[in-house]
Amino acid sequence: MNFSVVSRWVSRISKQQFQRVMASGSEKEGASVNTAAAPLNRLASEKSPYLLQHASNPVDWYPWGEEAFEVARKENRLIFLSVGYSTCHWCHVMERESFQNPDIARIMNTNFVNVKVDREERPDVDKVYMTFVTSLSGGGGWPMSVWLTPELKPIYGGTYYPPNNRYFGRPSFPQLLVSIASQWQEDQDKFKESGGKIMEVLDRTSRLPAPGTEDMPGEEPISRCLAQLTRAYESEYGGFSEAPKFPQPSNFNFLFTYYALNPHLEDAQQGLSMALHTLSMMARGGIHDHVAQGFARYSTDQRWHVPHFEKMLYDQAQLTHSFLDAFIVSGQPRHADVARDILGYVMRDLSHPSGGFYSAEDADSLPTPEAKEKREGAFCVWTWDEVNSLLGSPVNDSHTTTLAEVFCHHYSVVDGGNVDPYQDPHDELKNQNVLMEHCTVEETGQEFCLEEAECAEALARARQILYEARAKRPRPHLDDKMLTAWNGMMITAMARAGAVLGEEKYTQRALEAGNFIKTQLYKDGKLLRAAYASQDSGVSLGSEIEGFVDDYAWMVRACLTLYEATLDTSWVVLAEELQDRQDTLFWDPDGTGYYLNRPGDSSILLRIKEDQDGAEPSANSVSASNLVHLSPLLGRTDMLTKAEAIFKLFADRLNKIPLALPEMTTALLVHRHPPTQIILAGKRSTPSLNKMLEVIHSELIPNKVLLLADETSPGESILYSRHSSLTKYHPKNPEECLVYVCQNFRCCLPVSKPDQLRDTLKSPVSNQ
């Protein structure tokens, strides 16, 4: 079944057919038809912010579950499945145009069992039907709209559908509803047969090679990934595509790792230059919120100027790592400042009092408290008059130049707005300015005869004034769902920032979030998917959805990072527990690799192994990296065997299009370099040990394995039980810390001073 077939159905639909569909649906005995605009539907009892957004729709929505499936089977009706998330702009558009429309709702309620799914809550449902949609049309996205048989087999689908025929070649949503309902009534057997064949094809095409059919990938994926990134690189503004431009932090991770392991290679230096330039341009662009911090999802233009304004937790987490890497390798404080900027936003606006991190902030909001309709970016943009009114005071007592003059010059604010109309098809940003730095602070200072420090202080004061003014505007919707996987990402970023920047507040915030996961979302040795903010600032678990493979993968990484930041080996114990549980629940014992979901849910027709690093790296990529790091840390060769099995499973993709799996290519790159063991012999948390730890974190060493030899509590450390040789390492006195750097079974002489350690880390062990 293809789009042209359905288009022909739509074009042939007649007034008589439309009436017959409506009449026959309404006359079904016992049909659960709700044509009245009820104040609330079934979604009102859900916890997901996305589902709650649709609780007042006149559509008779069901959540995903047996209740909806039973109605579909009993009444022999197709299921209309709508999948999205609460900060999805086009999901809002389709709700406003179609799901809030009583006439369209009547067609839906009469002919279909309508099911809403939050893709962030149920990535397994989303992945199965997105696989179908992308195979059908060649592309996907949200909202996702899919029609299913009562047996949950897809027969047609797409993304956003308009309420009328305003888009050439795309049927209106009502036409499509009536056409599919009519065809179902006329030939159900054909639909069911088609659905069965579709699932057979999806099952066959989603399978990966059998074990033993692929060799272990070598150097080719690494060199090819670098070549593909170099070809895709846009040199003027940075990034690896034309518009729209996405941050793609996995690309940065690969480039920084390749440079760190091969700093003298010309292509590594070229890759470093690409990463640093891109991050610098992003930090200056409108994708970066210069007033309230953090980064938007992506830029609609080539210059990183006009963003899609939603802010996702996973972007903040991954970009924190990117800017920390940039700071370490370049030594430029501005990259560290951007990392602090991101973390400040997360700690202020995406944090629950109990320690968890919220998921996202919406792009849309009301431009004024009196407005009836939300606009994208309304919370973030400024008119020329607003800025001049708010920043009319002089820079200081000795200058007549106003804050507005300095600010408008630096951030490209102009009368009439600075947004290209081509980037604003709905005129939501007309006469508005999206802040974007067009020069350095030093250059702006020179323009107004200000010292650089004076100019920086003036710009900071101006941003604070605008921040306070912006706080009075209606805020965008906050998705206060707390996902285990995304919290794991943010814990990793926060803990690493504390270690790299030497700022304890970030380490403590990471520990707070780690303990939140342990107390709220880790039950009976298993992770749960999500927690939800309750009205009393507490936490609710809703229906307690069991965790998916990415929840485990990211929490394993979070535990590893918390250990490296604090040297508290209890996090190593938890990392091993979670990794072993992940293996039990998700590892394919027949074909290797990790499935997205555990077995046993009959409503999930396919168990899929993700094979692409997108906005979030795939769980197989993250897990491969985790296993490569865990194996030498825990002395478990079985973990390295699993990592190599993953590389073999995805070998064809890695060899041909490694740019589809940059995170896994990075894991392979680290795997191909022997681990650098760094043994710290000393008492944990002593000043001498902490100073040595600061030096270690100030260097980018992707293949490092930190081992703490604290002889004051060897019985409490899992590391002593896995590495008996640790008993041989002793400091000369209780307050001293000796550090040994080892590679390929050779160790350098121990060092006790930070400068000595820095020199040792910069020189290969084999040269000493």
Side-chain angles (χ1 to χ4, degrees):
M1 187 177 300
N2 56 43
F3 184 78
S4 63
V5 172
V6 176
S7 297
R8 289 199 295 272
W9 293 348
V10 173
S11 65
R12 293 202 307 263
I13 193 74
S14 66
K15 181 177 180 181
Q16 289 76 21
Q17 284 177 304
F18 182 93
Q19 291 172 340
R20 185 168 68 250
V21 168
M22 297 299 294
S24 62
S26 300
E27 291 165 3
K28 283 183 181 177
E29 184 177 353
S32 302
V33 178
N34 175 17
T35 56
L40 293 174
N41 57 45
R42 291 174 183 80
L43 301 185
S45 60
E46 296 296 307
K47 297 296 182 182
S48 158
Y50 176 63
L51 299 188
L52 290 173
Q53 285 175 344
H54 294 263
S56 61
N57 294 168
V59 177
D60 191 12
W61 291 116
Y62 287 81
W64 180 266
E66 186 55 37
E67 182 186 5
F69 310 152
E70 177 62 27
V71 171
R73 290 191 296 264
K74 180 180 178 182
E75 300 179 3
N76 199 29
R77 283 199 279 165
L78 289 175
I79 292 170
F80 170 68
L81 173 64
S82 177
V83 182
Y85 56 102
S86 79
T87 58
C88 165
H89 174 72
W90 284 101
C91 299
H92 301 330
V93 173
M94 193 164 178
E95 179 194 17
R96 185 170 61 248
E97 293 177 341
S98 294
F99 303 148
Q100 292 179 358
N101 183 312
D103 294 329
I104 295 177
R106 182 170 187 269
I107 301 174
M108 295 173 68
N109 296 340
T110 299
N111 298 287
F112 303 97
V113 175
N114 302 292
V115 175
K116 260 289 174 196
V117 168
D118 181 338
R119 67 172 296 263
E120 296 165 356
E121 264 193 342
R122 294 299 304 261
D124 53 342
V125 177
D126 177 65
K127 187 66 177 178
V128 168
Y129 296 109
M130 187 59 74
T131 300
F132 164 68
V133 168
T134 54
S135 66
L136 182 73
S137 63
W142 299 274
M144 177 169 62
S145 307
V146 190
W147 285 263
L148 319 176
T149 68
E151 296 75 34
L152 306 181
K153 295 176 180 178
I155 51 93
Y156 188 69
T159 55
Y160 162 80
Y161 291 103
N164 50 44
N165 293 324
R166 66 173 179 259
Y167 295 114
F168 177 76
R170 181 183 288 255
S172 74
F173 186 53
Q175 283 179 308
L176 200 52
L177 289 168
V178 172
S179 175
I180 292 174
S182 175
Q183 294 296 315
W184 173 250
Q185 290 178 18
E186 293 174 3
D187 197 347
Q188 295 181 15
D189 290 341
K190 180 179 178 181
F191 268 81
K192 290 183 177 181
E193 181 184 358
S194 176
K197 290 181 178 178
I198 287 169
M199 288 309 303
E200 289 175 9
V201 171
L202 291 179
D203 182 50
R204 187 168 60 251
T205 57
S206 65
R207 292 178 190 169
L208 292 165
T213 60
E214 297 287 347
D215 295 329
M216 181 70 187
E219 187 68 28
E220 183 177 356
I222 296 164
S223 58
R224 181 163 290 184
C225 188
L226 185 61
Q228 289 176 349
L229 284 170
T230 302
R231 284 197 300 271
Y233 180 62
E234 194 276 287
S235 60
E236 185 174 3
Y237 297 101
F240 302 95
S241 69
E242 301 299 326
K245 281 187 174 178
F246 291 81
Q248 300 173 295
S250 291
N251 291 345
F252 301 135
N253 190 23
F254 171 79
L255 292 171
F256 284 127
T257 301
Y258 185 72
Y259 172 77
L261 295 173
N262 306 280
H264 304 299
L265 294 182
E266 185 178 345
D267 59 357
Q269 294 167 9
Q270 181 183 359
L272 174 64
S273 177
M274 292 191 298
L276 291 175
H277 178 61
T278 300
L279 288 168
S280 294
M281 297 306 291
M282 285 171 54
R284 292 172 60 174
I287 191 174
H288 181 199
D289 187 341
H290 296 280
V291 169
Q293 297 83 48
F295 279 79
R297 177 78 275 273
Y298 64 87
S299 172
T300 63
D301 62 88
Q302 186 178 6
R303 300 185 300 141
W304 305 104
H305 179 209
V306 180
H308 174 46
F309 290 87
E310 71 177 314
K311 293 180 181 176
M312 309 300 295
L313 181 66
Y314 59 75
D315 283 324
Q316 315 311 316
Q318 293 178 87
L319 285 172
T320 297
H321 286 291
S322 299
F323 282 99
L324 289 173
D325 286 341
F327 168 60
I328 291 172
V329 299
S330 73
Q332 296 176 350
R334 58 192 173 91
H335 295 303
D337 289 341
V338 178
R340 293 186 183 96
D341 168 296
I342 297 170
L343 298 174
Y345 161 68
V346 171
M347 292 172 73
R348 185 191 66 229
D349 291 345
L350 295 183
S351 289
H352 188 275
S354 64
F357 295 111
Y358 300 138
S359 294
E361 277 195 311
D362 208 338
D364 301 359
S365 61
L366 295 172
T368 65
E370 299 79 25
K372 302 298 183 184
E373 188 171 309
K374 292 183 178 181
R375 293 182 181 177
E376 182 170 7
F379 188 66
C380 302
V381 295
W382 305 90
T383 66
W384 167 265
D385 290 339
E386 280 180 301
V387 172
N388 279 275
S389 174
L390 290 164
L391 303 180
S393 59
V395 168
N396 55 44
D397 293 339
S398 59
H399 284 84
T400 58
T401 303
T402 65
L403 288 174
E405 290 176 281
V406 176
F407 188 88
C408 290
H409 176 83
H410 189 74
Y411 289 108
S412 312
V413 178
V414 296
D415 192 6
N418 66 4
V419 177
D420 184 341
Y422 180 76
Q423 305 303 136
D424 183 29
H426 303 296
D427 286 339
E428 292 180 301
L429 302 175
K430 192 173 183 178
N431 295 321
Q432 300 288 343
N433 289 275
V434 177
L435 304 184
M436 177 179 181
E437 292 182 283
H438 85 279
C439 57
T440 66
V441 174
E442 181 183 13
E443 289 167 341
T444 296
Q446 291 172 351
E447 181 74 17
F448 296 98
C449 300
L450 295 169
E451 295 294 329
E452 185 174 357
E454 280 185 303
C455 186
E457 190 280 329
L459 290 170
R461 187 151 54 96
R463 289 194 300 269
Q464 182 61 30
I465 292 169
L466 293 187
Y467 173 79
E468 292 170 4
R470 202 168 104 168
K472 298 173 184 176
R473 296 176 177 177
R475 288 195 67 90
H477 160 74
L478 173 69
D479 187 327
D480 55 13
K481 174 173 74 264
M482 291 166 277
L483 295 169
T484 299
W486 295 4
N487 270 253
M489 285 190 201
M490 198 65 236
I491 292 167
T492 304
M494 197 74 72
R496 184 161 179 247
V500 171
L501 302 176
E503 298 183 28
E504 184 67 16
K505 64 181 179 181
Y506 301 132
T507 306
Q508 289 303 314
R509 183 65 186 88
L511 288 167
E512 187 182 342
N515 289 321
F516 168 81
I517 297 294
K518 287 200 295 184
T519 57
Q520 297 288 346
L521 289 164
Y522 191 43
K523 308 289 185 182
D524 302 321
K526 296 180 182 179
L527 290 170
L528 300 177
R529 176 62 175 175
Y532 309 86
S534 58
Q535 292 182 348
D536 59 356
S537 297
V539 173
S540 168
L541 297 179
S543 57
E544 297 197 1
I545 299 169
E546 293 184 336
F548 297 95
V549 67
D550 59 329
D551 297 305
Y552 285 83
W554 283 109
M555 277 310 301
V556 169
R557 182 169 291 188
C559 291
L560 285 172
T561 311
L562 283 169
Y563 161 68
E564 290 186 346
T566 65
L567 296 183
D568 179 351
T569 56
S570 68
W571 293 108
V572 180
V573 174
L574 183 55
E576 184 176 36
E577 288 177 8
L578 291 173
Q579 186 62 60
D580 287 341
R581 178 66 71 172
Q582 177 183 331
D583 294 345
T584 301
L585 294 174
F586 305 102
W587 183 259
D588 178 1
D590 300 319
T592 73
Y594 292 102
Y595 287 114
L596 169 62
N597 57 303
R598 65 187 69 193
D601 187 344
S602 60
S603 71
I604 304 301
L605 304 185
L606 287 177
R607 292 187 75 200
I608 292 173
K609 299 170 187 174
E610 291 188 278
D611 63 352
Q612 182 151 346
D613 296 328
E616 305 166 57
S618 75
N620 276 292
S621 296
V622 177
S623 298
S625 177
N626 290 345
L627 291 164
V628 167
H629 286 88
L630 279 168
S631 177
L633 179 64
L634 293 168
R636 285 183 53 175
T637 57
D638 62 312
M639 290 183 165
L640 194 60
T641 300
K642 271 193 166 63
E644 291 175 345
I646 294 173
F647 295 137
K648 291 177 184 178
L649 180 66
F650 293 95
D652 184 63
R653 198 161 177 81
L654 285 169
N655 285 323
K656 292 178 179 176
I657 44 172
L659 197 52
L661 285 167
E663 193 77 12
M664 190 177 292
T665 307
T666 302
L668 177 64
L669 172 60
V670 174
H671 171 62
R672 288 178 58 78
H673 284 73
T676 297
Q677 283 189 325
I678 304 175
I679 302 167
L680 296 103
K683 188 176 180 180
R684 177 175 168 251
S685 299
T686 57
S688 57
L689 187 143
N690 286 342
K691 288 179 181 177
M692 301 300 253
L693 195 58
E694 287 175 12
V695 171
I696 294 168
H697 289 306
S698 71
E699 300 290 333
L700 189 58
I701 313 170
N703 59 333
K704 72 176 180 289
V705 179
L706 289 183
L707 296 173
L708 173 64
D710 183 350
E711 61 185 0
T712 62
S713 55
E716 300 174 11
S717 172
I718 186 176
L719 300 180
Y720 275 87
S721 67
R722 305 302 173 86
H723 302 276
S724 58
S725 62
L726 285 181
T727 57
K728 302 176 183 178
Y729 297 98
H730 311 279
K732 294 178 181 177
N733 62 71
E735 298 304 315
E736 185 184 49
C737 176
L738 287 180
V739 179
Y740 300 77
V741 180
C742 309
Q743 198 174 72
N744 285 328
F745 307 102
R746 296 182 59 183
C747 293
C748 67
L749 293 173
V751 295
S752 59
K753 298 185 182 303
D755 289 344
Q756 295 173 331
L757 177 58
R758 195 178 306 279
D759 292 340
T760 300
L761 293 174
K762 290 183 181 296
S763 302
V765 174
S766 57
N767 292 345
Q768 298 181 34

